[in-house]
Amino acid sequence: MAIKYVPYYPDPVEGQAILDNFKRMLKYKGAGDVKRRLERGMPLYELKKVETVGKNPNGNMLIRGECISACAYLKEQGIEVDLIYIDPPFASGADYAKKVYIRRNPKVAEVIAQAGKELDIEELKTFEEKMYGDIWRKEDYLNWMYENLMAIKSVMSETASIFVHLDWHIGHYVKILMDEIFGEDKLINEIIWYYPDNFQGNVKGFATNHNNIFWYSKNETYISNKVIIPLDKPVKRDKRIWSKELGKLVSARNDDGTLIYEEFTEKKADDVWTIGQTSVTKSTSNEYMDYPTQKPEELLRRIIEASTNEGMLVADFFGGSGVTAAVANKLGRRFIHCDIGINSIQTTRDRLIADKAEFDIYEIKDGVSLYRNPTQTMEKIKKLIPGLKNEKSLGDFWAGAISDSKLGLVPVYIPNLMDSSSKLLDKAMMFRIMHEAIPDLPSNVKKAIIYYVDVDNLEEIQKFIDDEEDVIIEIELRDLKDILDDAVFEDYAEFKVSKVQESLIPEYIVEITNFQSDRVSRKIDEYNQKGYANTLITSDDEDIEDDDYEDYNEDGENVVPSKKKFTPILISETGLELIEYISLDCTNQDGVWHSDSEIKIDKLGYVIVNGTKTKNFWDGTIKCEKKPLRLKIRNICGDETIWNLSV
């Protein structure tokens, strides 16, 4: 439950077109709910520090949680941001997945090293894991984005700017919202980021090779530094001088009237950028982070240099691969990175470690951070609710229904964890459920179950339901956290801790002898099952003799192996190839994590030691100079587990 509610920025600005969302000039479903949430304020939750890196005198932060909750904390603490760059979901309708690589088992890596063989990337065993689905109803997206932009404006300094990075799917609608929130006169530029190295083949029409970035200021006064870029080829132009007599620029000439030319090798940047390209998302790039929505550092460098000075605070509330924080750090700016996904926090953390940055990592304790990302949490929730099945006849609002022997079909509502507006069950949400969702249910429905993650005031909500005479079906409220609390499965590890005294300074060695991860194993099992299923031919196929059939699939169809080949992912008995990262805390026995020694195993099996890349294969151990107190292991999917050590 939220500690309190922090006020948003005062009423939105009304532009010349009076684009006031509250007056419904821009009409879309649910806009009235936004007004009620804005009047209530931003939910403020406990913010827990989970790790500290270096002394961090500048207060740099990585925050796992939602934009609105992060802004509530910043505003409560009086922290103002000088530049915001956000690359939020594009409402593109696409699913984004992370490719998960099985690491080399130390024993196998040792053999490869002895043979002097280089690993081929094609040899690696991989499977994909869905990170998030960028699938929205337009109205839901606009409501969500409106509230996020209002929250962001609440923490902007008086001279701050905001850059919002989108594309053709929804950008034009968001620009209207920004006109309303910041004012039409606060639009500085619409920047076109053009990437000519992205080739599209079979398209009807012209290939889509650009994104849109909207640059708005909070006030008339803002930071705008001149950005000079080199020209591909020098350009000659006749020299211009100011003529007081004529009151205009005129061409300069010699005494004989010949034009005087000057050569230009650079110019001031305009609003069409071809920097960075998209090659950073390819494995050949030095910047490649294997993150699906990664943007090039050069793009953020131009934005940060153009709109901030050294020492200013830069924030990205949809931080992704951490490019904003990384570039801000390199340019001498302070930074805040925020994202709801743990993979984003881990990717950014490791990236900043390599850059020798100092920062603290926090988690917003809002009850939805059990799994690596909201998509996985939503999928897990549906499996944990006994008897829940999809029911298309109920519409998109309902997650499904339970069949009850006495009551019949019981619709079930689960808040969408991708949409912060539905996470909190308050009177506004309950009003919507009772007056929009329930009236659309079939007439024979007698009961509905409403799950919530957070609730404004449970007693008041229940009274609100009881006092509503128009709703004649039973409504049962259930806390979603009761289900999630029973679903935590930590990884298992066996290890040996030893002390070696080979010199004046002793060295401690922790050897991992066994590692098992139920979550990763389930993912691998799913991958193998799908792979085997794709190699089977069903009885619908022609030219198959009866004697060829060997089995039945789950639909009862005869199946026979096809000519397709499938190589399953097999894990060794020790399971060490499921480990991505190991850290030792020699400072704290509990509480905030301090990584005194860490290694990360890259996808080829090479070890990155304390942020420095090596060409050594992992040997199953990690070393440190001080006595280790705690051990942290991250599996290849991103789950982290901590063990206390005793020597």
Side-chain angles (χ1 to χ4, degrees):
M1 184 173 178
I3 299 171
K4 61 182 291 188
Y5 293 95
V6 180
Y8 285 83
Y9 196 79
D11 292 340
V13 176
E14 290 189 6
Q16 295 174 358
I18 318 179
L19 299 169
D20 188 344
N21 185 20
F22 299 164
K23 294 179 180 177
R24 306 303 297 274
M25 295 302 292
L26 177 63
K27 294 182 179 179
Y28 54 85
K29 188 176 181 180
D33 295 339
V34 177
K35 179 178 181 181
R36 287 187 283 270
R37 289 196 297 273
L38 292 177
E39 291 172 343
R40 180 202 64 206
M42 298 177 279
L44 175 66
Y45 298 93
E46 174 193 357
L47 198 72
K48 180 182 178 182
K49 183 189 290 189
V50 295
E51 182 175 359
T52 182
V53 177
K55 296 182 179 179
N56 192 23
N58 292 328
N60 297 322
M61 305 171 71
L62 271 60
I63 302 174
R64 185 188 179 190
E66 293 178 324
C67 168
I68 293 172
S69 300
C71 289
Y73 172 79
L74 297 178
K75 188 173 183 185
E76 182 72 2
Q77 296 297 314
I79 299 173
E80 293 187 338
V81 181
D82 300 301
L83 166 65
I84 293 93
Y85 165 85
I86 58 172
D87 178 18
F90 283 16
S92 64
D95 286 333
Y96 290 91
K98 172 188 177 183
K99 184 168 283 191
V100 179
Y101 294 87
I102 309 295
R103 267 46 177 183
R104 293 287 172 179
N105 186 284
K107 297 297 181 183
V108 177
E110 182 181 343
V111 173
I112 293 172
Q114 290 175 353
K117 178 184 176 183
E118 284 290 330
L119 287 175
D120 187 343
I121 195 71
E122 296 300 325
E123 296 179 53
L124 299 180
K125 298 176 182 177
T126 67
F127 62 90
E128 287 192 343
E129 183 175 67
K130 187 175 175 181
M131 294 177 67
Y132 70 90
D134 191 9
I135 302 171
W136 299 75
R137 289 190 306 173
K138 187 182 298 180
E139 294 84 358
D140 292 339
Y141 183 92
L142 293 175
N143 285 324
W144 174 78
M145 181 56 76
Y146 190 95
E147 195 170 359
N148 278 282
L149 290 171
M150 287 294 288
I152 288 171
K153 186 177 181 182
S154 299
V155 299
M156 292 173 66
S157 69
E158 291 305 305
T159 59
S161 294
I162 179 172
F163 289 74
V164 178
H165 189 147
L166 293 165
D167 71 359
W168 62 271
H169 288 93
I170 203 76
H172 48 302
Y173 288 100
V174 174
K175 183 184 181 300
I176 295 176
L177 298 184
M178 296 184 74
D179 282 344
E180 178 187 337
I181 293 169
F182 295 97
E184 296 165 77
D185 58 331
K186 302 304 186 299
L187 172 66
I188 301 170
N189 280 114
E190 177 183 1
I191 299 161
I192 303 300
W193 177 41
Y194 170 58
Y195 31 89
D197 66 336
N198 184 30
F199 299 101
Q200 296 181 18
N202 241 347
V203 293
K204 290 185 177 180
F206 298 112
T208 304
N209 275 2
H210 80 277
N211 285 176
N212 304 68
I213 304 175
F214 302 108
W215 179 12
Y216 281 74
S217 64
K218 182 179 178 181
N219 292 310
E220 290 79 4
T221 304
Y222 57 92
I223 304 296
S224 179
N225 299 320
K226 185 181 294 186
V227 175
I228 302 298
I229 60 173
L231 295 171
D232 294 334
K233 296 180 180 179
V235 175
K236 282 189 175 182
R237 193 182 70 182
D238 55 306
K239 190 174 182 180
R240 306 290 177 88
I241 57 173
W242 178 255
S243 171
K244 291 183 178 180
E245 295 178 358
L246 299 176
K248 62 181 181 179
L249 286 171
V250 296
S251 301
R253 298 176 182 270
N254 289 326
D255 293 339
D256 61 359
T258 305
L259 287 171
I260 301 174
Y261 289 93
E262 54 184 340
E263 186 175 88
F264 295 89
T265 58
E266 57 185 22
K267 72 168 186 175
K268 184 178 179 181
D270 56 27
D271 61 359
V272 178
W273 298 357
T274 57
I275 62 175
Q277 313 304 315
T278 57
S279 57
V280 297
T281 61
K282 299 178 175 64
S283 58
T284 53
S285 169
N286 292 330
E287 294 181 29
Y288 182 64
M289 302 297 294
D290 204 4
Y291 201 94
T293 57
Q294 181 182 352
K295 299 300 183 294
E297 290 193 4
E298 192 178 353
L299 178 69
L300 271 297
R301 177 180 289 274
R302 181 173 294 185
I303 289 173
I304 292 172
E305 287 183 336
S307 55
T308 65
N309 299 322
E310 284 193 27
M312 287 187 165
L313 180 57
V314 178
D316 188 339
F317 294 103
F318 302 89
S321 67
V323 61
T324 305
V327 175
N329 178 65
K330 291 174 182 176
L331 294 177
R333 275 70 166 173
R334 296 174 291 137
F335 60 83
I336 296 173
H337 169 100
C338 176
D339 200 288
I340 196 170
I342 190 63
N343 291 122
S344 167
I345 301 301
Q346 291 168 346
T347 301
T348 304
R349 178 210 176 273
D350 297 348
R351 183 177 197 163
L352 293 171
I353 287 286
D355 289 343
K356 309 303 179 186
E358 298 184 353
F359 52 91
D360 293 323
I361 302 179
Y362 296 86
E363 283 188 356
I364 295 174
K365 310 305 289 185
D366 58 0
V368 296
S369 60
L370 176 62
Y371 290 93
R372 292 179 288 277
N373 57 61
T375 299
Q376 289 178 339
T377 305
M378 291 296 295
E379 291 175 354
K380 187 68 175 180
I381 287 170
K382 292 181 179 180
K383 294 178 181 178
L384 291 174
I385 298 175
L388 181 64
K389 295 182 179 180
N390 291 330
E391 185 59 50
K392 295 182 180 179
S393 63
L394 297 179
D396 295 337
F397 184 85
W398 304 95
I402 298 171
S403 295
D404 186 279
S405 58
K406 295 182 179 179
L407 299 173
L409 205 65
V410 179
V412 176
Y413 165 77
I414 299 175
N416 180 6
L417 301 183
M418 281 294 292
D419 182 358
S420 58
S421 65
S422 71
K423 187 179 66 178
L424 176 70
L425 183 63
D426 56 7
K427 288 184 179 179
M429 176 56 71
M430 202 64 240
F431 183 88
R432 180 183 174 190
I433 291 171
M434 292 190 296
H435 292 273
E436 294 181 18
I438 289 180
D440 288 339
L441 292 173
S443 58
N444 60 340
V445 171
K446 301 175 182 178
K447 179 181 177 179
I449 297 173
I450 310 298
Y451 278 96
Y452 61 86
V453 173
D454 192 13
V455 62
D456 192 2
N457 185 308
L458 189 57
E459 292 183 0
E460 287 188 5
I461 296 296
Q462 190 61 59
K463 185 177 184 303
F464 184 71
I465 295 171
D466 296 340
D467 291 345
E468 184 58 58
E469 297 179 355
D470 294 337
V471 179
I472 58 175
I473 73 170
E474 178 187 354
I475 297 176
E476 180 184 348
L477 304 180
R478 293 184 183 178
D479 191 340
L480 201 54
K481 294 189 289 296
D482 292 341
I483 295 177
L484 298 180
D485 289 343
D486 296 331
V488 179
F489 302 102
E490 292 190 337
D491 293 339
Y492 169 80
E494 294 176 1
F495 42 83
K496 299 176 183 177
V497 183
S498 57
K499 181 179 179 181
V500 180
Q501 187 84 38
E502 294 183 348
S503 61
L504 294 176
I505 302 175
E507 184 177 55
Y508 294 86
I509 300 175
V510 178
E511 180 184 3
I512 314 299
T513 58
N514 194 341
F515 182 78
Q516 304 298 327
S517 173
D518 180 67
R519 293 182 184 176
V520 180
S521 296
R522 288 175 183 271
K523 282 289 182 182
I524 292 173
D525 288 343
E526 290 175 9
Y527 169 84
N528 288 339
Q529 289 172 12
K530 289 180 181 178
Y532 282 125
N534 290 335
T535 65
L536 300 177
I537 300 174
T538 69
S539 57
D540 292 335
D541 296 294
E542 298 178 356
D543 303 324
I544 298 177
E545 301 295 334
D546 291 341
D547 293 340
D548 292 333
Y549 293 113
E550 295 184 4
D551 204 348
Y552 296 89
N553 62 18
E554 59 184 10
D555 296 322
E557 298 173 310
N558 291 119
V559 293
V560 62
S562 73
K563 295 180 180 180
K564 297 178 182 178
K565 291 185 178 180
F566 171 69
T567 303
I569 296 176
L570 301 177
I571 303 302
S572 68
E573 290 185 3
T574 61
L576 300 188
E577 55 269 61
L578 302 182
I579 296 176
E580 176 185 81
Y581 162 90
I582 306 172
S583 174
L584 293 175
D585 187 344
C586 306
T587 304
N588 301 324
Q589 185 71 56
D590 51 29
V592 177
W593 187 267
H594 186 279
S595 182
D596 291 283
S597 178
E598 64 180 63
I599 61 172
K600 184 177 181 181
I601 303 100
D602 73 10
K603 61 190 175 187
L604 293 176
Y606 297 117
V607 178
I608 302 168
V609 181
N610 298 322
T612 301
K613 295 182 178 180
T614 74
K615 277 298 181 180
N616 301 321
F617 287 114
W618 184 45
D619 62 0
T621 69
I622 180 172
K623 302 174 182 178
C624 58
E625 293 182 354
K626 296 188 293 183
K627 178 182 177 181
L629 303 176
R630 292 187 291 175
L631 166 70
K632 178 192 290 185
I633 299 179
R634 180 196 304 164
N635 66 38
I636 55 176
C637 287
D639 306 304
E640 294 183 343
T641 306
I642 295 174
W643 291 266
N644 287 321
L645 301 177
S646 59
V647 180

